[in-house]
Amino acid sequence: MTGGDPAALTGTFNDSFTLASGGGSASGGDWVITNGTYSIAPTGTANTLVAVLEYTSAPSDGTVLMKIDDGAKKVEVHATGSNTSLKLVGTTTVTINDLDLAKAEDNPTTLILRLTLTGTDAKLYTHEIINDDDGTAVFSSVTAANSSSTGVVWGNANGNVKWGAVYYSKFGAFAPDELLLSDFAQDTLARMGLGVVEQLRNSTRPYLKTQVHDSSIVYGYDISSEMTNRISVPSIHVMIRNLDSPMFESLGGAKISQNYNIEIFITTRGTNYENAYRSGLNIMGEVFDELYTQTGVQGTTDSITSYDAQLDSKLDDDETVCVHTLTITYMRRIDMRHR
């Protein structure tokens, strides 16, 4: 729901919500509610509800803003009567403070809330943030409460709330790096970049399985020396530096071919540089073999079209770290109608 009537959604692949009580009205790209709730039936026990919202006037303490109830377990997000806090309610209650729901601060940003539930595990992410710069988790979590009802619900019975967008997925309890709100970002980061990371972490090849710890196989959001020094070697950093579309293959751009250049940095340190070089080359070989044989194998939708390997060499007497670089180019055919 992106500013239109949530009970009459347009666009491809959308299911409308059901008006449960009251209603709302469209205004300036938002769906404004003073007394209204909407629901949709969940499927299974793993669900995600994302909302972009702003207060004009705060709902009273205890007002339910978001709820996921799969028939066995439930979790809710409650208003507190304040513009600066919310509550995540399961078997216990966690209060999330320092929010700006009324956008009263300088250079304010509209709040994005992501509520997920799988089994008894319930999480609430704010502004799509998972960890801070120190790697500390900043989302809230509770154990879901028992329930005998069913429904994914959002809205507000009082106050005045601008709902800028609401997304619901019945296909899983997705963190912000697993299901992104932009299809372009989803294809780029989650499906390609993080997909490669997951493939390498799950590999059973000897070096990848026994010599490189899972925590040292990461996406290269930050490859500065300060950040990379925090990760034990040998390490593997995966990143997408660029992508392009050589052509639109049908009228209206319904499907396009997209090229992704995946850069993979293998960092090693040895008792001497020769050992670091050879160890890094073995790891690079397994990375290549794993990706070449296990990814890009669907000829009609995915394909590896080329690769480039840059092998490091020692140029300084004090150099003890070896960094080999492998670049693999994927071509993927994407259905643009999902947008």
Side-chain angles (χ1 to χ4, degrees):
M1 190 283 293
T2 54
D5 184 352
L9 294 181
T10 60
T12 310
F13 307 110
N14 273 339
D15 295 324
S16 292
F17 293 94
T18 298
L19 178 61
S21 65
S25 59
S27 177
D30 299 315
W31 190 252
V32 181
I33 298 177
T34 57
N35 179 17
T37 56
Y38 294 84
S39 67
I40 196 167
T43 300
T45 59
N47 296 275
T48 302
L49 182 63
V50 182
V52 183
L53 71 158
E54 173 189 348
Y55 285 179
T56 299
S57 60
S60 60
D61 185 25
T63 300
V64 177
L65 300 175
M66 303 168 67
K67 178 174 77 170
I68 299 177
D69 186 337
D70 63 19
K73 298 294 180 180
K74 69 176 182 178
V75 62
E76 297 176 342
V77 176
H78 290 186
T80 63
S82 165
N83 292 331
T84 60
S85 62
L86 292 168
K87 291 185 288 189
L88 178 64
V89 181
T91 56
T92 58
T93 298
V94 174
T95 301
I96 299 94
N97 295 302
D98 300 322
L99 302 175
D100 184 24
L101 286 152
K103 296 178 67 175
E105 298 178 358
D106 293 336
N107 301 315
T109 301
T110 303
L111 180 63
I112 303 176
L113 295 174
R114 177 184 292 251
L115 181 64
T116 66
L117 174 62
T118 177
T120 62
D121 186 18
K123 295 184 175 69
L124 180 67
Y125 303 84
T126 57
H127 291 298
E128 299 290 77
I129 297 173
I130 303 174
N131 301 309
D132 62 17
D133 287 342
D134 295 323
T136 303
V138 294
F139 57 86
S140 302
S141 59
V142 295
T143 299
N146 291 330
S147 175
S148 58
S149 58
T150 304
V152 175
V153 180
W154 61 274
N156 49 287
N158 56 76
N160 187 302
V161 180
K162 299 177 180 178
W163 296 86
V166 177
Y167 296 86
Y168 166 65
S169 173
K170 61 186 178 183
F171 298 108
F174 298 112
D177 61 357
E178 294 174 321
L179 178 66
L180 287 78
L181 302 189
S182 160
D183 288 301
F184 182 90
Q186 179 73 13
D187 281 326
T188 303
L189 177 59
R191 191 176 179 206
M192 288 300 302
L194 298 178
V196 168
V197 169
E198 202 66 20
Q199 184 72 40
L200 297 178
R201 285 179 177 175
N202 292 334
S203 175
T204 57
R205 299 176 189 276
Y207 273 87
L208 292 176
K209 180 176 66 175
T210 67
Q211 302 301 304
V212 188
H213 194 273
D214 282 356
S215 63
S216 294
I217 305 176
V218 298
Y219 188 79
Y221 296 108
D222 185 346
I223 56 173
S224 63
S225 57
E226 179 182 354
M227 185 59 67
T228 54
N229 285 338
R230 299 181 185 180
I231 298 177
S232 61
V233 292
S235 66
I236 299 173
H237 286 77
V238 177
M239 66 177 295
I240 299 177
R241 197 180 297 273
N242 62 76
L243 61 155
D244 66 89
S245 176
M247 66 182 70
F248 282 13
E249 296 185 347
S250 59
L251 294 175
K255 290 189 177 181
I256 67 170
S257 290
Q258 195 112 294
N259 292 327
Y260 298 84
N261 291 316
I262 312 293
E263 294 188 10
I264 303 167
F265 300 91
I266 295 94
T267 304
T268 52
R269 182 184 292 116
T271 53
N272 60 41
Y273 195 84
E274 178 186 348
N275 293 331
Y277 183 101
R278 190 169 58 246
S279 174
L281 189 58
N282 274 311
I283 295 171
M284 174 188 276
E286 290 196 348
V287 168
F288 179 84
D289 291 344
E290 178 70 22
L291 298 180
Y292 189 79
T293 59
Q294 301 299 321
T295 65
V297 295
Q298 301 180 35
T300 58
T301 58
D302 304 81
S303 180
I304 293 177
T305 60
S306 66
Y307 80 93
D308 177 77
Q310 300 290 325
L311 304 182
D312 200 5
S313 57
K314 184 173 181 177
L315 300 175
D316 191 302
D317 289 340
D318 296 327
E319 192 172 0
T320 60
V321 174
C322 178
V323 182
H324 295 320
T325 306
L326 175 67
T327 302
I328 296 178
T329 300
Y330 286 86
M331 177 178 284
R332 170 160 286 146
R333 187 166 296 164
I334 299 174
D335 187 345
M336 299 294 285
R337 295 171 296 177
H338 286 280
R339 290 164 173 79

